[in-house]
Amino acid sequence: MLRCMLLRRSTPFSSSRNLLLSPRYRFLSSTNGTGDSDENGQTESSSDPEQAGRSLAKLSKMAQTLRKAIEEQAQFNLQPPELLVTLEKEVDEAYDLLRNALNRAGRPCTIEELGDRINTNIVPIPAEALDFRDLLNADLLRDNIERTLVSLQVFPPVEAMLDGSDKPLGKPDKKAAAKQALQAEKDQKDWNGEDGTAEQVLTELRPVSPEELQKRKKYMENAIKMENVLSGYDTALLEVGRVHKVTKGGTTFSLRALVIIGNRNGTAGYGEGKSDNSQHAIERACRDAKRNLLCVDLYDNRTIAHRVHGKFVKSKVSLWPAPKGTGISANNNFSAVFQLFGLKDVGAKLHGPRSLTNGVKALFNALSKLQTAEKIAQARGLESLMRPPLPPNGVRRRLRAL
């Protein structure tokens, strides 16, 4: 009973029950197991070398899968770099534990080979190479990595999951499993052979050297710097306001910033950020604006193609094109947005509440509805759509009088 209490106290509440019920730790509660303590009160390691080797093999398989998922997320820019740096630290922690255990065991194999020997040719880990605390830490790391893979919508390897686990697979897991099955089928059909002999393309993750890992970490750290995030974009600070939140302990004050970024060539975005100081709030707003970029097709490289309306909550915005040389006919905040988009001849009018944030969001909603003549013609099944020429000024005046 005392051994079970020690195990329960040293384990988080969410996973302690699963560990105690797992077949992996049933031998710990026996009188001949590893739960015995020596004279100094230190807990000894498991007396089953194969069981400890299987636990480390599953941790190695999970860590390799997470590292491959991190590389794919970084390659296609699916997750923010600061999150990937945190996940790399989790993988490094697992690799350090595996490396220390294998060194104490006499280096019977590498970490990558250990992950491939889960069910067959299990690497026995002696008692002096892995104590009880390290074994428990290895299983907790495996559980954390499994939850991380599920959050990234990556299906964890089935052979590395906990024995007797009854965790249900949600919808993201099923989608990831179907995607993994399609990728495996595609890999089976993908062959390369120049001399007539077909060789299957290897899709396994190659081992990463420490130098290459440090290079990747440095690249990720440089990618999250503000000068690299805003490279090629101009910024405009529209508003910095003070906000407060009433809580049970009192009122907390903070600052909120609204920022617009753009490349003056048809691409711009807005972002909001909140923090205790203005500099951090503006930095958060710039990062949020980088994630909310909108691309607009400029007509004649100076204006919009047609009249359009946008709405956000109760704020409504009307946009219309203007002849060449007219300039921007709008308020100062909208003018800053148009300049960052690269629009030179355009008009805008805000109807309803004059909230700056809602007005900017309504403006972006209107700009997102713009369509070019080619897109409209394609939707109507036509080859081209010609815009009729404007009549002379005198004819236009007579038409207005009618």
Side-chain angles (χ1 to χ4, degrees), residues 2 35 91 122 125 147-148 160-161 169 217 261 277 290 300 324 338 353 357 362 367:
L2 179 59
V91 176
I122 301 174
I125 303 298
R147 286 191 292 268
T148 302
M161 298 179 71
L169 296 179
K217 288 184 178 180
I261 67 172
N277 56 78
K290 188 66 178 293
D300 200 13
K324 186 176 182 180
F338 290 144
T357 305
L367 292 172

Side-chain angles (χ1 to χ4, degrees), residues 43 83-84 104 173 194 215 239 393:
T43 306
L83 175 61
L84 299 181
R104 288 194 295 264
D173 298 331
E194 298 179 356
K215 185 177 179 181
E239 182 185 24
N393 292 335

Side-chain angles (χ1 to χ4, degrees), residues 67 88 92 208-222:
R67 174 157 289 176
E88 280 280 359
D92 292 343
V208 182
S209 62
E211 294 78 10
E212 186 177 356
L213 184 60
Q214 291 295 333
K215 185 177 179 181
R216 293 179 184 178
K217 288 184 178 180
K218 186 177 180 180
Y219 173 78
M220 291 181 182
E221 291 174 357
N222 293 333

Side-chain angles (χ1 to χ4, degrees), residues 69 71 73 111 168 206 214 216 223 229 258 307 345 374 379:
E71 291 181 355
Q73 299 284 334
I111 298 179
R206 60 182 179 86
Q214 291 295 333
R216 293 179 184 178
V229 172
L258 178 63
R307 182 182 292 268
D345 302 314
E374 292 77 9

Side-chain angles (χ1 to χ4, degrees), residues 55-191:
S55 299
L56 292 183
K58 292 184 177 182
L59 175 61
S60 174
K61 192 70 174 179
M62 282 288 185
Q64 294 179 44
T65 305
L66 180 57
R67 174 157 289 176
K68 184 177 181 180
I70 291 174
E71 291 181 355
E72 293 179 354
Q73 299 284 334
Q75 180 181 0
F76 298 103
N77 197 17
L78 301 178
Q79 298 293 339
E82 53 268 21
L83 175 61
L84 299 181
V85 172
T86 305
L87 298 182
E88 280 280 359
K89 294 179 180 179
E90 188 174 357
V91 176
D92 292 343
E93 184 179 356
Y95 268 69
D96 291 341
L97 190 149
L98 293 170
R99 191 178 299 108
N100 294 335
L102 291 177
N103 289 338
R104 288 194 295 264
R107 296 182 180 179
C109 63
T110 62
I111 298 179
E112 289 74 14
E113 295 175 355
L114 181 64
D116 298 333
R117 299 165 65 174
I118 297 179
N119 299 321
T120 59
N121 295 332
I122 301 174
V123 179
I125 303 298
E128 59 273 8
L130 188 70
D131 59 1
F132 171 72
R133 295 180 185 275
D134 290 340
L135 184 62
L136 181 60
N137 190 20
D139 204 43
L140 293 178
L141 282 173
R142 190 210 58 80
D143 280 345
N144 292 336
I145 293 176
E146 181 180 346
R147 286 191 292 268
T148 302
L149 290 174
V150 173
S151 63
L152 294 176
Q153 296 188 358
V154 177
F155 190 74
V158 180
E159 63 273 11
M161 298 179 71
L162 189 65
D163 295 338
S165 176
D166 54 351
K167 297 179 181 179
L169 296 179
K171 292 183 179 180
D173 298 331
K174 294 180 179 178
K175 293 181 179 179
K179 182 178 178 181
Q180 187 178 13
L182 291 176
Q183 184 65 27
E185 184 179 356
K186 180 180 178 181
D187 293 339
Q188 290 291 336
K189 298 179 181 179
D190 192 7
W191 301 82

